[in-house]
Amino acid sequence: MVDAGVRYLFEPGSVAVVGATNNQSKPGHTIVGNLLKYGFEGSVYPINRTGHSVLGREGYRSIAEIPNEVDLAVLLSAPFETVDLIEECARKKVKAVVICSGGFAEVDDEGRELERRIIDIARETGMRILGPNINGPINTSNNLLLSMAPLMEPKRGNLAFISQTGQFMVWVTEWLQTAFGLGVSKAIDLGNKCDVDEIEVLEYLEQDPATEVIAIHIEALKDGRRLMEAASRIGRRKPVIVLKTGRSQDGARAALSHSGSLAGRDEVTDAALRQAGVIRAQDFDEFLDFAKAFSRLSIPRGNRVGVVTSTGGGGIMALDACERCGLEVATFSAETIERMEGLYPGRERVSKLVDLGPAMGKRDINELYGSALDAMVSDDGIDGIVMMIIVVVTENPTNPDPDILMDLVRRGRKPIIACTTGRQDWVTEYSRTLEAKGVPTYPSPERAVRALAALRRYGSWLEETNGG
Amino acid sequence: MVDAGVRYLFEPGSVAVVGATNNQSKPGHTIVGNLLKYGFEGSVYPINRTGHSVLGREGYRSIAEIPNEVDLAVLLSAPFETVDLIEECARKKVKAVVICSGGFAEVDDEGRELERRIIDIARETGMRILGPNINGPINTSNNLLLSMAPLMEPKRGNLAFISQTGQFMVWVTEWLQTAFGLGVSKAIDLGNKCDVDEIEVLEYLEQDPATEVIAIHIEALKDGRRLMEAASRIGRRKPVIVLKTGRSQDGARAALSHSGSLAGRDEVTDAALRQAGVIRAQDFDEFLDFAKAFSRLSIPRGNRVGVVTSTGGGGIMALDACERCGLEVATFSAETIERMEGLYPGRERVSKLVDLGPAMGKRDINELYGSALDAMVSDDGIDGIVMMIIVVVTENPTNPDPDILMDLVRRGRKPIIACTTGRQDWVTEYSRTLEAKGVPTYPSPERAVRALAALRRYGSWLEETNGG
């Protein structure tokens, strides 16, 4: 069961912003701006000392003054004022509070004491607290965009992103959207986690119909065992990708002063994550690469990979990467080999790499990629396909038509992942078309293969878990 | 001593293109087009059956007909015609020949036999052969742009790029230029290496004044020992970055049919490369990342790294990456700590991560980054700096001014590497400015740290080699 208060963090009917102002350089202006600009589907109540209106919305001097119910309050106040405000929220029967301000447990003993008092009020009243030391949650379903930084127009997607911290959450969300073409369903940063933690957020996302994949950045686990239990249960329905940082001694120490919590031993974490079926990203690049793959592709039924390329050099890198990532380079069926050889008059034989390079320019590009993919899609010995495309622009069409590729993808129901490269502007444009059709693209063969391998590791875990 | 014939591959006074045509869809048109469009500083002689002119240049029916000396001949002919043409070139006393056509040792026994006959002619006459099965060399100093694919306007740089194969060479060169902002001094693909191999090309690049860094992609070593000897000698003056593929069993087998040569055991290669001071890239991403770092940065004098960031989350990733890559997170001097603490009123203490996050928006961004960098640049306990910047665009300047950063970089004479992230368009624009000032940028903290670690590994090797 998802706690009602946690649900109000994402789905409030009304939001009070304490510290709302018309001073454009202040976060109390930006938050109201983000809510209004992108049409939050609920009421917005600016609160400030004089009760003046902000961006045309009627203002109030206190939460108590608001004539209607308030589901969610956002606090931008100085730490020493926060306890009083939380008490006021409790009296108003506010369902949930987001404390954006920093200066609590991450800073000193005084801050820790303030957090303890806030937690006490939450426990007594049942009011839920997110933060402190955060940016605020984003829900693209109702345009709840609680960000202290000005946001770009959000893009909806099936990926939920949980971040330890606020700056990271905002830039990753915008980097995902602009550089990876990925929208989010929800994005949330946890900060000091004085009350609501990653587990309750995961439980909310588990039942959120807009969320199909969950990516979570954690610096420190408060309760590893509970997290693994939750992740393992949720993982059966929705893949959970984790970037656990603070792995090194120095990193762990910095995490302690950054978000006020202690990181455990990394090997222990690693084993526990693996057992819980969590997809662990080794670094930030993998985190985003995996998020893209899981949000767009089906899970391969086995680990046998077929590689088709117009660059032999790049194809060999993909084969190398398969071995390194525990994937098997598929041995083609006799029929596939025969069909491939029709594409290569004069070549000795197709072994394990379909290199269209020598036939490029001599045959129609769609015929080449189309025939190769058609054979690979029909071959039961191939579970997933890596496709390398050098994007070129000339008068004649020299890139495979994404529509033709997509018909094959749909028919085959096996994941096809692409590496696209060439001139950056051409690559960006072509990749966008390909991704709109459901084929995620990567700038190197190794990154494409690593993402496919992560999909397969998750597939193996699912099979073991469901079989056991 | 660089062989005169090898020099003519890059610095010919005249080029004959056999197979030149006005048919725009043919490589024999594109090559002449690339030479003329970008102003090759030498004569261009189109050769074809009827001797017609191509793109306004007077044509000839054969090499023999050309009234002047020919330094370099480019052959696009079918394999079976190639031997006769090579003989004709020899009679004309052509200095070097580039055989673009494929269909030789990489295909079948007949092809291998043709290659043997070509090598015999080269040996007898001293004429040097590059290829077959290649795209052709690029020299940005004289605009010799021998490419069967239409090229974009080339950018000059201090990086020479040697590739095993042609498609790979063209797209990597253009990807480097457009996505990494890196120009090349020379780019060359080796193909089947029937005569000129990577060692002679390396020797040419060793003495080439336009080349300061060499990046080489190899699928198979013909003569590992000689290569290591050459790399080890060249490495003392110019860093040599290697991407050796065909590492896996399947990859090695594909390399055999791709470029007609056999890859050795990877662990042996790995040890030999390390001993020779070669910087080995583990994958394609590292290859380009390292090329960028080496072509822009000085070598750090030690392995102690300082990290400054406006995102604690990203900073912790950088610390984790340092440990993983064998770099030490620097312990700041008492003076540095004191200066940092001035930036953070209320923070407990600066340990090993300079996290400007909490002070952002409260102090001027240039004061923050400037003071932190100034302290780190002056601290003798820090050998290299990783700087994380979230690029934001608002009315007030919220990104550190690249000019201010650069003054510090110049004064400190220690490498500063950046991770820039945020919205892609802003990141691209800001990164370009930063790179123009000499600070290479990466999209993740781990990639920045890995590149810095590669610089340091090379530095250690240099110290050991020069000390011994």
Side-chain angles (χ1 to χ4, degrees), chain B residues 98-115:
Chain B
V98 169
I99 308 178
C100 295
S101 337
F104 292 87
E106 83 281 11
V107 168
D108 56 17
D109 283 335
E110 201 179 319
R112 269 184 285 277
E113 176 53 29
L114 286 173
E115 263 193 49

Side-chain angles (χ1 to χ4, degrees), chain B residues 143-163:
Chain B
N143 292 321
L144 177 77
L145 300 163
L146 291 177
S147 171
M148 296 194 287
L151 294 177
M152 63 192 305
E153 186 166 0
K155 181 180 159 87
R156 288 181 188 181
N158 63 355
L159 174 75
F161 170 45
I162 308 175
S163 164

